[in-house]
Amino acid sequence: MRPPWRDPRRSTREREVVEYVTEQRSGAAEADGTAAGPDPDARWLALLMHAAFFLLLGASLTRFLMRHPGEARTPWIIALSITLAVLYLLGPVLGSRPTPRRLTWLGVLVAVWMVLVVLAPSFAWCAVPLFYTGLRILPPRAALALVALLTAFVVAAQLRLATGFDPNLVLAPPAVAAVATAVFVHMQRQAVRQRELAARQRELIDDLLRTRRELAATERREGTLAERQRLSMEIHDTLAQGLSSQQMLLQAADRTWTADPDAARRHVRTATGIAERNLAEARRFVHDLAPADLAEGGGLEAALRALAARESAQAQGALTVRCHVEGTPHAPLPDRVQSALLRIAQGALANVREHAGATAAGLTLTHLDDRVVLDIGDNGRGFTPEPGAPRATGTGGAGSTGGAASTVRGHGLPAIRARVHQLGGTLTIESAPGEGTALSAEIPLTTAENPTRHPTEDPA
């Protein structure tokens, strides 16, 4: 009987929830700009504005030099243009936060631009990238005031260049500035909402994960208590009652052994029948607590094939596990041998999956006359055993304990050794760097059928 907390459908649901939460967390991190650095849209917009500024500055300077060659103000225009370009290049170095240094830089940049516009109105169109810079750095009201000031200078410059009054020169610059400001403010608010939504989503995901962990822990505790209660009731109603009846029958037989031998023998035979039934109940308990793959029937071979198929499916193409059986057992393997070999295969494949970096692994079960051998091999990275250490030590393969990870997990190779030792068998592990790892567990059937040691605790 499988404990309630090991329902495979529940495990599937938990994996689906974890995958969904992982996807949602990745989406929230990307929305908040934490998964891949700064917002890519803002970065591309900044690059576009930088390119536009230098393009407009170069075009304005070229236009001035072509139309006003040799004028007295030309050296000043060239010097101010170079100063404006150098100042603009210093902007990214100072960062994007409204620090005093950043605000001073913006003020000097705008002042140099205004002087240029007064001397040469054709530099007025450099105001468009300056709109963007001011809106990024300043608070909303200060940014709008700067945009209005820059727009007024643009209008004045265009009127100076015009030969006569043109309404478009008065209305077009404010309209363009208004549209650009509205678009930028909208994008900024959307970015703020998106960050807030991402932060809220992360909080909800963390709450969901915490709730799932608490629920899983509660279900495990409830399942453990329910299983303990079931076993206690089963033992009380079967084994305990049977042992009590045997005790009373044997005591009655002892009292009447001399006076009424026939009645005493009847009591003994009745006690023997009760013992047989209790033995059957005890075996049923052992079967119920055996590994799930064995409890489903089919024997060790079917359980190993199911394990290989399950490991291959879980690896999703990264690892292929094959199972091969050689020979035929002369008699069914003892339950404890089947359970131990299945647990050894599970532990070894877990090490292959977690530490070996292998793409292929194989399980080979060989039935011999007086023993059974389970071999697990992989084509992973292998390892070099430490000098003087047993061959069954190392990191990086079917028999690996995973280095530091093993000290945390506490299972793996030590559990495999303990299982083999309890059955009187031998464990051999061979490996070399780049040549994979091979683990071989050999169990003598005579020792396994007549054990001299009865373990009280399953090491796994």
Side-chain angles (χ1 to χ4, degrees):
M1 182 177 296
R2 178 176 296 162
W5 64 88
R6 292 185 180 177
D7 185 357
R9 293 172 295 179
R10 177 175 297 174
S11 299
T12 302
R13 291 195 299 270
E14 291 177 353
R15 285 196 300 270
E16 292 175 352
V17 169
V18 171
E19 291 175 358
Y20 169 78
V21 167
T22 303
E23 292 176 358
Q24 294 300 316
R25 172 170 285 177
S26 299
E30 292 176 359
D32 193 34
T34 59
D39 184 3
D41 293 335
R43 185 170 61 251
W44 281 110
L45 181 58
L47 293 176
L48 178 62
M49 288 298 171
H50 297 334
F53 175 82
F54 288 106
L55 182 62
L56 291 172
L57 182 61
S60 300
L61 181 59
T62 303
R63 180 181 184 278
F64 176 82
L65 294 176
M66 290 176 62
R67 296 198 176 189
H68 307 280
E71 292 189 6
R73 55 178 175 166
T74 299
W76 292 101
I77 298 298
I78 296 175
L80 289 172
S81 299
I82 295 174
T83 303
L84 185 64
V86 173
L87 285 173
Y88 194 88
L89 286 174
L90 292 176
V93 179
L94 299 176
S96 59
R97 294 184 178 180
T99 60
R101 293 177 58 188
R102 182 75 166 170
L103 295 177
T104 302
W105 166 83
L106 180 60
V108 174
L109 183 70
V110 172
V112 173
W113 173 81
M114 288 180 176
V115 174
L116 263 176
V117 172
V118 171
L119 295 177
S122 57
F123 286 87
W125 288 111
C126 294
V128 175
L130 296 180
F131 287 167
Y132 173 77
T133 304
L135 290 170
R136 284 187 60 195
I137 297 175
L138 297 175
R141 292 185 179 180
L144 293 178
L146 177 62
V147 169
L149 177 62
L150 296 177
T151 304
F153 263 77
V154 172
V155 172
Q158 293 302 308
L159 291 177
R160 284 179 58 190
L161 291 174
T163 56
F165 179 78
D166 187 351
N168 288 332
L169 299 179
V170 178
L171 299 178
V176 172
V179 171
T181 302
V183 170
F184 182 84
V185 171
H186 175 73
M187 291 177 58
Q188 205 169 32
R189 290 179 178 176
Q190 287 293 103
V192 171
R193 292 195 196 99
Q194 194 173 17
R195 285 195 293 269
E196 292 176 351
L197 179 62
R200 178 58 179 165
Q201 191 175 23
R202 284 199 307 277
E203 292 178 359
L204 293 176
I205 290 173
D206 292 339
D207 290 342
L208 176 61
L209 287 175
R210 183 169 56 256
T211 302
R212 290 293 303 178
R213 287 194 294 268
E214 294 174 354
L215 179 61
T218 301
E219 289 179 346
R220 282 194 295 271
R221 287 194 297 269
E222 292 178 351
T224 301
L225 293 176
E227 185 68 6
R228 289 178 178 175
Q229 184 178 10
R230 183 189 72 82
L231 288 176
S232 65
M233 294 173 61
E234 290 274 356
I235 292 173
H236 176 270
D237 294 340
T238 55
L239 297 181
Q241 294 291 348
L243 291 173
S244 177
S245 299
Q246 290 179 60
Q247 182 184 27
M248 290 186 296
L249 288 169
L250 292 176
Q251 289 175 349
D254 183 63
R255 288 193 300 269
T256 61
W257 192 264
T258 303
D260 191 352
D262 294 335
R265 292 187 178 91
R266 286 196 301 273
H267 291 325
V268 172
R269 286 193 294 271
T270 303
T272 302
I274 294 174
E276 291 178 353
R277 289 194 297 273
N278 279 1
L279 180 60
E281 289 292 338
R283 287 173 175 169
R284 183 177 66 84
F285 289 149
V286 172
H287 181 270
D288 288 347
L289 297 177
D293 291 333
L294 292 176
E296 294 174 356
L300 178 61
E301 293 84 355
L304 290 176
R305 289 191 176 95
L307 174 63
R310 185 167 60 250
E311 290 289 338
S312 299
Q314 291 177 354
Q316 298 181 353
L319 175 65
T320 301
V321 182
R322 302 186 184 278
C323 180
H324 179 65
V325 179
E326 296 181 356
T328 303
H330 299 288
L333 295 177
D335 291 342
R336 64 196 306 265
V337 174
Q338 296 189 52
S339 177
L341 290 177
L342 179 59
R343 295 301 192 197
I344 290 171
Q346 291 172 338
L349 289 180
N351 282 335
V352 171
R353 182 178 64 252
E354 296 174 9
H355 309 298
T359 59
L363 299 175
T364 302
L365 181 67
T366 305
H367 295 283
L368 302 176
D369 293 338
D370 57 347
R371 62 189 184 276
V372 60
V373 181
L374 176 63
D375 298 309
I376 303 100
D378 67 75
N379 64 347
R381 61 177 59 95
F383 64 91
T384 301
E386 297 178 0
R391 288 197 303 168
T393 63
T395 58
S400 168
T401 61
S406 65
T407 61
V408 178
R409 197 173 60 172
H411 299 292
L413 186 57
I416 294 176
R417 281 203 189 102
R419 295 183 190 279
V420 174
H421 179 70
Q422 289 168 1
L423 296 176
T426 57
L427 177 68
T428 304
I429 298 178
E430 297 179 352
S431 182
E435 297 183 6
T437 303
L439 178 149
S440 179
E442 181 177 325
I443 307 298
L445 297 180
T446 53
T447 304
E449 293 173 353
N450 302 285
T452 59
R453 183 186 296 104
H454 297 277
T456 59
E457 180 179 357
D458 190 349

